[in-house]
Amino acid sequence: MEPYKRNTRVLYVDDEQALLTVFGLLLRKEGVEIHTLQDPTQIGSMLDEHGPFAIVLSDQRMPGMDGVKVLEAVAHRHPSTVRVMVTGFVDHADTTRAINVAGIASYIAKPWNDALLRILIQESVDRYNLTEEKAHVAHQLASSQESLAALLAQATNGDIHERRDAVELVASLVREKELMLKEIHHRVKNNLQIISSVLNMQAMNITSIAVRAPFVRATGRIRSMAMVHEALYRSDDLGSINFTRYLENLASEISSIFNMESVSWSVTGERLALGIDLAVPLGMIAHELITNAFMHAFKGSAKGTVTVTLLRGDAGGLTLCIHDNGCGRSSVKPAASGIGLTLVTALVEDVGATLSCVEDAGTHYRLDLPTAMTN
């Protein structure tokens, strides 16, 4: 079997040379091959000379050719390339064109967040190579006319060369199924990311902080679900994720959004593996409570810490604690009104857990899941 060769080429199209330079500097240590293009009308020549690219990012409003046309050209030439729109403007017509015509995977708003842009680049490169490797393996298997039963018989009864070839083909069949499952999780995560991006674009149009806040929270909730699917397609067994690592990534992302240098965070405890049915609701619960801590616990306080602890409980259950040392309550009690904590209460009931809140040197939420649902 011919091995698959990974593609790490990244292209950014923008008429502002300064942004192209910043982009290149930002990704110089990310293990990708960086290409930039200032003249969007030259996209065809760029694709011919250096393509296909794993990901192409394009500014929306440029002289000569707008971003939708650029990404449409990429989609026509290389459909598997991940396409991302970069824009400092919000226009619903542009959004619709970008999704329906160019088939974009996501939006990036200017000025971009460096950390989130790096994550998007790495995820997009992984997504492209996942799709291409699956196609590569499927093509290799298609060249063999042997049935699975014949391959298994050959693997046990043939000579050493036949057995080796048969084992390689069977392994490729297994790999193809794994890649298909990974691609499903990647597509679900990508669709959730598009919804999140559209909500972000809508929020950019809103000047009132109070009105904009629900959009920001909704985006975070969707992202917490997308991160579960992201972790699943990165997982070795495809059936469960390392939930402790997921909490680390979640806390890191929430911290970067609030950008509060005086507030630190930590995730400690056992490394527990959870399936998707439990990881999604617990991820959403954790998102709400960690976000509440960053939003409300440290007003007027110089420093603070948000601590997340995950422990294995009795009978294979678990205990999840989220504690802040803020100067006041990080939130209202779970039974009180508010969409976020109403959602928390409903999710806690759905998974059969109990949630308690103690105000002692800050706010301490403790979730106990008694049933044997962890691995």
Side-chain angles (χ1 to χ4, degrees), residues 33-211:
E33 182 183 322
I34 304 165
H35 297 260
T36 58
L37 179 64
Q38 189 173 7
D39 182 358
T41 64
Q42 298 300 310
I43 183 63
S45 299
M46 174 64 76
L47 294 175
D48 288 339
E49 185 175 354
H50 299 289
F53 294 93
I55 173 175
V56 174
L57 306 94
S58 177
D59 186 27
Q60 166 56 5
R61 301 188 178 182
M62 298 178 291
M65 191 175 188
D66 71 8
V68 175
K69 289 291 187 181
V70 169
L71 296 179
E72 183 183 8
V74 175
H76 178 73
R77 195 79 62 89
H78 303 128
S80 297
T81 295
V82 179
R83 302 172 293 280
V84 176
M85 186 67 74
V86 183
T87 181
F89 304 92
V90 181
D91 184 282
H92 295 299
D94 286 346
T95 302
T96 302
R97 285 179 62 223
I99 294 174
N100 294 335
V101 177
I104 64 166
S106 186
Y107 268 98
I108 289 289
K110 291 181 178 179
W112 59 62
N113 178 296
D114 289 353
L116 295 182
L117 180 59
R118 288 192 186 97
I119 292 172
L120 173 67
I121 295 294
Q122 292 295 346
E123 289 179 355
S124 297
V125 170
D126 287 344
R127 174 190 171 190
Y128 173 87
N129 284 285
L130 174 65
T131 302
E132 289 299 294
E133 185 181 0
K134 183 171 75 69
H136 173 80
V137 172
H139 177 75
Q140 294 283 317
L141 290 171
S143 63
S144 172
Q145 302 301 317
E146 299 286 350
S147 68
L148 179 60
L151 287 172
L152 292 174
Q154 186 174 317
T156 55
N157 300 322
D159 64 30
I160 186 169
H161 298 293
E162 291 178 333
R163 289 200 301 270
R164 182 193 62 198
D165 293 342
V167 168
E168 287 182 356
L169 284 170
V170 172
S172 296
L173 283 169
V174 174
R175 176 60 176 165
E176 183 189 29
K177 302 307 179 187
E178 290 177 348
L179 290 169
M180 289 177 65
L181 287 172
K182 285 178 179 287
E183 185 178 18
I184 289 171
H185 286 300
H186 213 311
R187 287 182 181 272
V188 172
K189 177 260 177 186
N190 185 60
N191 289 337
L192 290 171
Q193 184 61 44
I194 290 177
I195 297 172
S196 177
S197 297
V198 172
L199 286 175
N200 267 329
M201 297 290 288
Q202 183 67 56
M204 290 170 62
N205 268 332
I206 302 172
T207 57
S208 169
I209 296 177
V211 177

Side-chain angles (χ1 to χ4, degrees), residues 18 79 104 124 128 136-137 252 257 265 309 313 328 357 372-373:
I104 64 166
S124 297
Y128 173 87
H136 173 80
V137 172
S252 177
I257 291 172
W265 61 270
T309 306
C357 177
M373 300 180 68

Side-chain angles (χ1 to χ4, degrees), residues 306-369:
V306 178
T307 303
V308 182
T309 306
L310 183 66
L311 298 173
R312 187 179 299 277
D314 297 333
L318 63 80
T319 297
L320 173 64
C321 297
I322 298 173
H323 174 256
D324 68 71
N325 63 348
C327 57
R329 292 192 342 198
S330 66
S331 178
V332 292
K333 291 184 178 179
S337 61
I339 293 177
L341 288 168
T342 299
L343 177 63
V344 168
T345 301
L347 291 171
V348 167
E349 292 177 356
D350 286 346
V351 299
T354 59
L355 181 67
S356 59
C357 177
V358 177
E359 296 172 42
D360 181 16
T363 304
H364 186 170
Y365 281 105
R366 175 180 172 131
L367 181 145
D368 289 293
L369 183 69

Side-chain angles (χ1 to χ4, degrees), residues 285-313:
I285 291 169
H287 170 267
E288 294 299 323
L289 299 181
I290 296 172
T291 299
N292 274 357
F294 275 94
M295 286 184 67
H296 303 296
F298 305 104
K299 292 181 178 179
S301 176
K303 293 183 179 181
T305 303
V306 178
T307 303
V308 182
T309 306
L310 183 66
L311 298 173
R312 187 179 299 277

